[in-house]
């Protein structure tokens, strides 16, 4: 029984010297992060397909049970809108090969304009993906959250392909006006959609966005602590990514979320002890 938790990235300026050793060569940062969390969002792949050598480095820095949820590149999902993207998809899958089992999920994040009328395109695209990879879809069109018929049609498409629906829970962020520059920026950029917490597969994925105030972030994830504990008892293997607008405390928060779920599910394996950010002293 495993719960994977992680952040939106594996390196952040504010983590250096606090959570991760500093200075640390770029090719060692993921290794250090992987002692804090056992999963990471593959956001960098959304902007460009990485060189195979870079992906090989990712594999060398992580254990086989570490999870990457890798986003398909923007040209596939946003520019071509899943149509006529065979060449780009083949190049992306070839680049990801070195990850092996670490490539836990192919993550298809769709633009807000991708709505119910596009579900035929989504169904056809999902059939192109190799059966060796799990697949998950994040949608942002309001109809999928507010119209039961549209939600049902999407679930039918996903169910037919064995794909998961990734919720991006921003309800805590939008509960009250922003109080920091990072929160104000998030208010202009993040989707404001109802919370959805129904798993379709044995490997649900959750993206949770809290606030820069730790207490409010923890208060806001209570729903997910109970939901994830329930999934584990059902035999599912969930992955939860914890965000805040500034992400300054994200690794600590991800571990705290894991601890709170483990308090409800005592059989859950604990996370490893993180590598110290500073070398031990003699005194």
């Amino acid at each position: 029984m495993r719960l994977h938790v992680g952040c939106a990235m594996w390196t952040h300026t504010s983590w250096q010297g606090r959570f991760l050793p500093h200075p640390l060569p770029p090719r060692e940062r993921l290794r250090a992060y992987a002692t804090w969390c056992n999963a990471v969002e593959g956001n960098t792949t959304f902007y460009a397909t990485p060189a195979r050598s870079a992906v090989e480095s990712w594999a060398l820095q992580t254990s086989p049970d570490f999870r990457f949820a890798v986003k398909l590149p923007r040209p596939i999902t946003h520019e071509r809108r899943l149509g006529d993207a065979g060449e780009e998809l083949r190049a992306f899958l070839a680049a990801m090969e070195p990850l092996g089992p670490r490539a836990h999920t192919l993550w298809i994040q769709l633009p807000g304009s991708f709505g119910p009328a596009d579900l035929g395109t989504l169904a056809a695209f999902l059939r192109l993906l190799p059966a060796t990879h799990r697949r998950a879809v994040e949608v942002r069109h309001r109809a999928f959250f507010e119209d039961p018929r549209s939600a049902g049609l999407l679930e039918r498409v996903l169910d037919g392909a064995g794909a998961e629906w990734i919720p991006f829970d921003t309800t805590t962020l939008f509960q009250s006006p922003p109080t920091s520059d990072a929160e104000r920026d998030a208010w202009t950029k993040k989707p404001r959609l109802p919370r959805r917490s129904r798993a379709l597969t044995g490997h649900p994925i959750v993206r949770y966005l809290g606030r820069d105030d730790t207490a409010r972030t923890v208060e806001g994830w209570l729903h997910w602590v109970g939901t994830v504990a329930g999934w584990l008892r059902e035999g599912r293997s969930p992955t939860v990514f914890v965000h805040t607008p500034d992400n300054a405390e994200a690794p600590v928060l991800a571990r705290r979320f894991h601890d709170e779920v483990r308090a409800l599910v005592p059989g859950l394996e604990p996370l490893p002890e993180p590598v110290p950010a500073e070398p031990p002293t003699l005194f």
Side-chain angles (χ1 to χ4, degrees):
M1 183 166 51
R2 295 293 299 275
L3 165 62
H4 286 74
V5 295
C7 308
M9 70 287 287
W10 62 73
T11 184
H12 191 284
T13 301
S14 69
W15 302 351
Q16 297 176 19
R18 296 175 61 229
F19 308 137
L20 309 183
H22 181 72
L24 197 62
R27 285 182 172 259
E28 292 294 323
R29 292 171 185 169
L30 174 55
R31 189 188 308 278
Y33 166 88
T35 69
W36 280 85
C37 299
N38 54 7
V40 71
E41 289 188 8
N43 281 318
T44 58
T45 59
F46 178 71
Y47 299 100
T49 296
R52 188 181 176 98
S53 59
V55 181
E56 289 170 349
S57 171
W58 301 349
L60 290 172
Q61 294 180 65
T62 53
S63 64
D65 64 352
F66 187 89
R67 287 184 174 177
F68 290 84
V70 290
K71 279 187 185 179
L72 267 63
R74 181 184 180 92
I76 296 175
T77 57
H78 286 56
E79 297 171 15
R80 296 186 180 272
R81 297 173 64 87
L82 307 184
D84 191 25
E87 183 176 344
E88 290 90 344
L89 179 60
R90 286 189 291 273
F92 179 74
L93 293 175
M96 294 298 111
E97 279 182 353
L99 290 180
R102 301 166 187 81
H104 172 257
T105 303
L106 299 177
W107 174 1
I108 305 160
Q109 180 181 297
L110 296 170
S113 59
F114 196 100
D118 300 300
L119 287 178
T121 301
L122 175 60
F125 182 81
L126 290 172
R127 288 194 292 269
L128 296 176
L129 299 179
T132 52
H133 287 78
R134 297 188 185 93
R135 63 290 306 270
V137 178
E138 180 187 338
V139 292
R140 297 187 174 186
H141 195 288
R142 297 198 69 85
F144 294 127
F145 299 86
E146 298 175 345
D147 174 32
R149 182 176 180 276
S150 297
L153 289 172
L154 174 57
E155 286 193 4
R156 191 179 310 167
V157 167
L158 297 176
D159 205 37
E164 187 56 79
W165 180 340
I166 300 181
F168 187 13
D169 181 6
T170 62
T171 55
T172 297
L173 173 69
F174 291 113
Q175 271 183 344
S176 59
T179 58
S180 69
D181 288 343
E183 289 184 356
R184 280 185 281 274
D185 184 60
W187 262 52
T188 66
K189 296 177 179 177
K190 303 303 181 184
R192 189 183 302 215
L193 296 166
R195 178 194 289 146
R196 184 189 182 280
S197 52
R198 179 169 175 239
L200 300 181
T201 71
H203 295 82
I205 299 174
V206 174
R207 304 179 76 202
Y208 168 74
L209 175 60
R211 302 291 292 254
D212 288 336
D213 178 78
T214 294
R216 298 184 68 184
T217 297
V218 171
E219 180 184 8
W221 75 30
L222 292 178
H223 165 85
W224 290 112
V225 169
T227 298
V228 169
W231 286 341
L232 288 163
R233 296 188 190 103
E234 293 169 359
R236 302 181 197 264
S237 179
T239 301
V240 178
F241 296 113
V242 177
H243 302 226
T244 64
D246 65 10
N247 282 311
E249 306 296 322
V252 174
L253 288 167
R255 292 179 68 88
R256 179 168 175 176
F257 181 89
H258 191 283
D259 287 344
E260 292 195 11
V261 174
R262 189 163 172 257
L264 299 180
V265 188
L268 185 63
E269 182 179 342
L271 292 170
E273 285 300 310
V275 63
E278 298 179 356
T281 61
L282 294 177
F283 304 100

